[in-house]
Every structure is written in structure tokens, then in C-alpha cells.
Amino acid sequence: MAVSFILRTEAWELSVLLFVLMIVFVWLGNLSGKFWRRNETAASSGNTDEKSGFGSLEAGLFGLFGFILAITFGMSGNRYDNYRNVMVQEANDIGTVVLRSDLYPDSIRLEFRKDFKAYVEARIRFYEAGRNLDKMIQSKNESAMLSSGIWKRAADMSKQPNMLIPSNQMIPALNAMIDITTTRESTLKAHIPDIIIIALFILALTVTFVAGFSSTVIRKKDWIIICGFALLTSLVIYVTLDIGRPMRGLINADVGQSAMVELRGMFTD
């Protein structure tokens, strides 16, 4: 599956690019405004009312930009929560099947726990892979192979008359552990649509261009405010992008990953 430029690029790189472009667009807007006003002054003999209503347009653009930013941040936050919840749910499902393996005789129990231990390690490697796609695919295939073997053993045990009680307990829990992988994959593939990110960037650049255009003179001290606004905007957008990438960003879903790592404690006996 093809990965878009926005998804391939790190959040901090996009934010730095946006910061630089916002400064440039303020400067370009100011140059355009000076050129426009100079021509208008020459054509209208210095009429100063040509900007009537322009402030309302600028305020509307700022409001629209804030609205889109709020929507994007909300989508990223929801994805972060969903991903963390799926990780915790998967850890709970694995913990349940590990405990239910104790219902079997010792010989079968040890085989189950051996495979579950390998499965947990494969899942931990998957969540620790980050941007390493090869490592993610390898650990994903390994866990799929292990879960298939575990299911086959449980299915074979269910055919034996003396295994009816443990099988009735194990099969539903094992089915939930396998089903959560589909939910996990869907959550990983879900991301903020590129068109929303592009619209956010376009609005940010439009707002800065209009702000520069409407300013008759930008003094040196004004650049401090402009740079501060661009920096804060870039930081907020960075957080918005990064929180929507819980496996590769600085803001990781560490609560869910910790729950998976804690499963190692079930195999210390």
C-alpha cells in the first residue's frame, strides 16, 4: 500500500517547514500589500477607504483556521485514545488466555504457556518497531503463525471428551485474542486524511499572507510577534500530527505498551 508524503514525513519536519513558510508568506504578503497600495494610491489620488471590510475577512480566516485546527486535534486525540485502548484490550485478552491455559493438564499447559510466551514477545517487538516497517512485518507474521498454532492445539483438545470444560473456557478467550488483531490493524491504518492536513497548512499560510498584506509597515519588533505566532502555530500542529502517530512519534501510547510488557511477569514461574 502506497504511503503518502505526509505520512512518510516526520511531524517535526512538517512543522519546521510550516514555520519557515509562514514567515516567508508574511513577508510576501507585506510586499504585495505595499505594491497594491502604491498602485491604488496612484489611481485613486490617495483614497484611504479602500480597505473597508477587510478586517472582517481577516478575522474570518483566523476563525476558520482555528476551527480546522480544533477538528484536526480532536481527530488525532481520538486516534491516540483508540490505539492505546486497543493495546490495553489486547494485553487483557492475552492475559486471559494465559490464565485459562492453567485449566489443562500440566503437559498441555506447559505447551500452551511456551507458545503464549513467544507470542507476547512477538507482540512487544511489534509495538517497539516504531518506523521500522520490516521489523513490524516480521513480528506480525511471527505472531500470526504462533496464534495459528495455538488455535490448532486448542481445537484439537476440544475434540477430546475429557477436555470439554477447559475447551469451553479457552476457545472464546482465544477467539477474542485473535479477533483483536483485526481491530488493531484497522486502528493502525486509520489516520487523519491528508486533505485535512493540506487544508490546515493552506489556511495557515493564507492567514499569514493576509496578515502581512494588511500591515502597512512591519517594524523589527513586529517580527518578534510574527515569529512567536508562527512558532506557536507550528508547535500546536506538531503536537496534533505527533499524537496521531502513537507508534513513531514522541507522544507514544506508553500506557498500552507497558500493559503488554507487564505480561512477561506471567511467565516467571
Side-chain angles (χ1 to χ4, degrees):
M1 183 177 65
V3 180
S4 67
F5 170 78
I6 293 177
L7 288 178
R8 290 197 310 267
T9 309
E10 294 292 343
W12 70 267
E13 294 175 337
L14 292 173
S15 299
V16 170
L17 176 63
L18 178 63
F19 173 78
V20 174
L21 289 177
M22 289 179 73
I23 300 299
V24 172
F25 268 64
V26 170
W27 177 70
L28 291 176
N30 187 248
L31 287 181
S32 301
K34 289 179 179 178
F35 178 77
W36 178 275
R37 283 185 289 272
R38 186 163 52 245
N39 290 343
E40 285 294 307
T41 299
S44 60
S45 300
N47 184 11
T48 59
D49 294 331
E50 70 275 4
K51 288 171 56 179
S52 177
F54 193 77
S56 299
L57 174 61
E58 186 176 356
L61 285 173
F62 272 96
L64 181 60
F65 172 67
F67 176 72
I68 298 297
L69 182 58
I71 291 178
T72 309
F73 188 86
M75 294 177 64
S76 293
N78 288 335
R79 183 172 188 265
Y80 177 84
D81 288 338
N82 291 338
Y83 184 74
R84 181 178 57 184
N85 292 337
V86 167
M87 292 177 67
V88 173
Q89 184 61 48
E90 183 177 13
N92 289 336
D93 290 342
I94 295 174
T96 299
V97 294
V98 173
L99 291 175
R100 293 188 180 183
S101 65
D102 294 339
L103 299 174
Y104 290 91
D106 287 344
S107 58
I108 302 174
R109 169 183 174 272
L110 291 176
E111 291 297 323
F112 269 122
R113 291 180 69 87
K114 179 181 177 181
D115 288 342
F116 283 133
K117 182 178 181 180
Y119 184 82
V120 168
E121 293 299 327
R123 299 306 307 134
I124 292 175
R125 287 193 295 272
F126 176 84
Y127 286 119
E128 291 178 346
R131 291 194 63 190
N132 193 328
L133 185 60
D134 292 335
K135 187 176 179 180
M136 288 180 63
I137 294 175
Q138 181 181 358
S139 57
K140 176 183 174 181
N141 293 337
E142 183 181 355
S143 60
M145 181 180 65
L146 289 168
S147 64
S148 178
I150 294 171
W151 175 263
K152 185 178 185 304
R153 179 181 293 111
D156 292 340
M157 291 296 103
S158 67
K159 298 174 184 177
Q160 300 182 18
N162 60 333
M163 295 293 176
L164 181 61
I165 294 178
S167 295
N168 286 341
Q169 297 295 319
M170 174 62 81
I171 295 297
L174 190 57
N175 188 62
M177 185 193 78
I178 295 174
D179 286 347
I180 197 66
T181 59
T182 303
T183 305
R184 181 196 66 221
E185 293 299 318
S186 299
T187 305
L188 280 176
K189 292 178 181 178
H191 58 86
I192 302 174
D194 290 350
I195 188 62
I196 295 181
I197 303 297
I198 293 173
L200 189 63
F201 275 57
I202 292 176
L203 277 172
L205 298 179
T206 302
V207 163
T208 51
F209 181 87
V210 171
F213 186 90
S214 62
S215 301
T216 55
V217 178
I218 300 181
R219 296 162 295 182
K220 290 183 178 180
K221 64 179 182 180
D222 294 331
W223 282 108
I224 299 177
I225 300 176
I226 293 171
C227 291
F229 171 76
L231 178 62
L232 289 175
T233 300
S234 301
L235 285 175
V236 172
I237 291 179
Y238 165 76
V239 173
T240 302
L241 294 175
D242 193 73
I243 201 173
R245 303 173 178 185
M247 283 195 66
R248 52 185 282 198
L250 293 178
I251 308 174
N252 294 317
D254 51 355
V255 174
Q257 188 168 326
S258 298
M260 188 68 65
V261 173
E262 289 174 0
L263 289 174
R264 285 171 171 165
M266 303 184 70
F267 304 100
T268 55
D269 57 339

